[in-house]
Amino acid sequence: MQGFGVHTSMWTMNWDRAGAEKAIAAAVDYKMDFIEIALLDAPSVDAGHTRGLLEKHGLRAVCSLGLPEPAWASQRPEAAIAHLETAMEKTAEMGALALTGVTYGGIGERTGVSPTKAELDNVARVLGAAARRAKSLGIELGIEPVNRYETHLINTGWQAVEMIERVGADNIFIHLDTYHMNIEEKGAANGILDARDHLKYIHLSESDRGTPGCGTCDWDEIFATLAAIGFKGGLAMESFINMPQELAFGLSVWRPVAKDETEVMGNGLPFLRNKARQYKLI
């Protein structure tokens, strides 16, 4: 998962054959090292087709998801395990390296109170079972802390550390996201330092989820801290323009947050690459 990547939501949220062809071709044009594929409907994915495209272009991939409500780990652990197993099998079939994201819950999952012991017990059981299946498939499993408006379960780097150390699996890693960190951490540096022992992947996303360099994220703090800990993982730009209705509710994105692909990829991507070069991360 090393190098510079991009979330394929820049081009498609529907990973069918047409979506895969469009996104992979675009990522190759922008000279990305890897792509992150959102598995919103894992059973429908033509894994062989995607694997062929990735191999043809020499492009690596990771997959990501958030659990749908019928498979929320905190409430329905057996359904969550089954959902994750299907997604991990597709991930492995595609030749991707890991399944990450909100693998412990749903995007938009909130009860209105702090997580209960029973909820966290269920999450730990699900992640333990998922980690064992991931190991048998030869892939890794990531967990992404997200902000308080998207989940009540894991919001910070230190909470992710607590969960990983509770589960005790050596193939679970932390996946941070600068957008969420900008809301939840007491400074991005502290979040990165808290997660450092398990940190293998980071979403580079602006404070409004739009064009990097046009918001309030402190990119020098972020990249300097990554350099200070010797970060060698995946740097994935995650920027949106507008969200489809099925995702807008969970992510609370109600308006376009960037003008168009040209603005994000023409301005935001070079900005992030230049910062990564400045701090010798690529």
Side-chain angles (χ1 to χ4, degrees):
M1 289 180 287
Q2 292 183 329
F4 216 95
V6 63
H7 194 290
T8 56
S9 60
M10 179 53 53
W11 300 288
T12 183
M13 292 301 291
N14 185 18
W15 202 255
D16 55 13
R17 291 172 71 96
E21 290 166 8
K22 177 181 180 181
I24 289 173
V28 170
D29 284 345
Y30 283 109
K31 297 179 171 53
M32 310 310 297
D33 298 308
F34 68 89
I35 57 171
E36 181 182 330
I37 301 167
L39 289 184
L40 301 183
D41 183 14
S44 72
V45 171
D46 185 338
H49 175 254
T50 295
R51 185 175 193 131
L53 290 172
L54 293 171
E55 290 177 349
K56 175 184 176 181
H57 295 288
L59 189 65
R60 290 172 287 129
V62 300
C63 297
S64 62
L65 53 66
L67 296 175
E69 187 169 356
W72 282 356
S74 65
Q75 300 177 22
R76 292 172 278 278
E78 296 306 323
I81 291 169
H83 189 93
L84 288 170
E85 285 182 344
T86 298
M88 289 187 293
E89 287 161 5
K90 285 288 184 178
T91 298
E93 288 170 21
M94 284 188 279
L97 302 172
L99 177 70
T100 187
V102 191
T103 51
Y104 54 87
I107 299 173
E109 178 184 359
R110 300 180 302 274
T111 61
V113 295
S114 300
T116 65
K117 180 180 182 300
E119 287 176 323
L120 295 177
D121 287 347
N122 283 338
V123 168
R125 182 159 72 89
V126 168
L127 290 175
R132 289 189 292 275
R133 182 59 178 140
K135 180 163 283 192
S136 75
L137 292 166
I139 63 173
E140 292 187 278
L141 179 68
I143 59 173
E144 177 187 11
V146 297
N147 71 75
R148 67 190 70 187
Y149 309 110
E150 295 184 26
T151 185
H152 67 300
L153 295 169
I154 299 177
N155 306 129
T156 66
W158 65 262
Q159 287 178 303
V161 170
E162 284 188 345
M163 181 56 68
I164 285 177
E165 293 184 349
R166 175 177 178 177
V167 174
D170 62 5
N171 62 328
I172 302 183
F173 63 89
I174 293 177
H175 160 182
L176 291 179
D177 183 308
T178 57
Y179 165 76
H180 300 296
M181 294 167 70
N182 194 54
I183 297 170
E184 296 295 340
E185 301 288 356
K186 296 185 186 299
N190 288 321
I192 292 167
L193 292 172
D194 285 345
R196 63 187 299 172
D197 290 341
H198 302 282
L199 181 61
K200 291 189 177 182
Y201 197 76
I202 187 165
H203 273 166
L204 305 174
S205 185
E206 191 49 90
S207 57
D208 65 347
R209 292 188 180 273
T211 306
C214 295
T216 62
C217 284
D218 189 332
W219 293 106
D220 286 299
E221 178 184 356
I222 291 163
F223 281 103
T225 311
L226 290 172
I229 67 167
F231 180 75
K232 300 297 183 184
L235 298 156
M237 187 181 82
E238 185 191 39
S239 295
F240 302 122
I241 298 169
N242 205 358
M243 295 300 298
Q245 287 186 335
E246 61 268 28
L247 293 177
F249 177 79
L251 296 175
S252 298
V253 177
W254 312 114
R255 67 185 189 282
V257 291
K259 182 181 177 182
D260 52 28
E261 178 186 333
T262 300
E263 177 185 281
V264 176
M265 301 301 289
N267 297 328
L269 179 60
F271 171 83
L272 291 175
R273 274 185 163 148
N274 286 338
K275 284 292 180 188
R277 289 190 188 100
Q278 177 185 349
Y279 288 96
K280 300 182 179 179
L281 291 169
I282 60 173

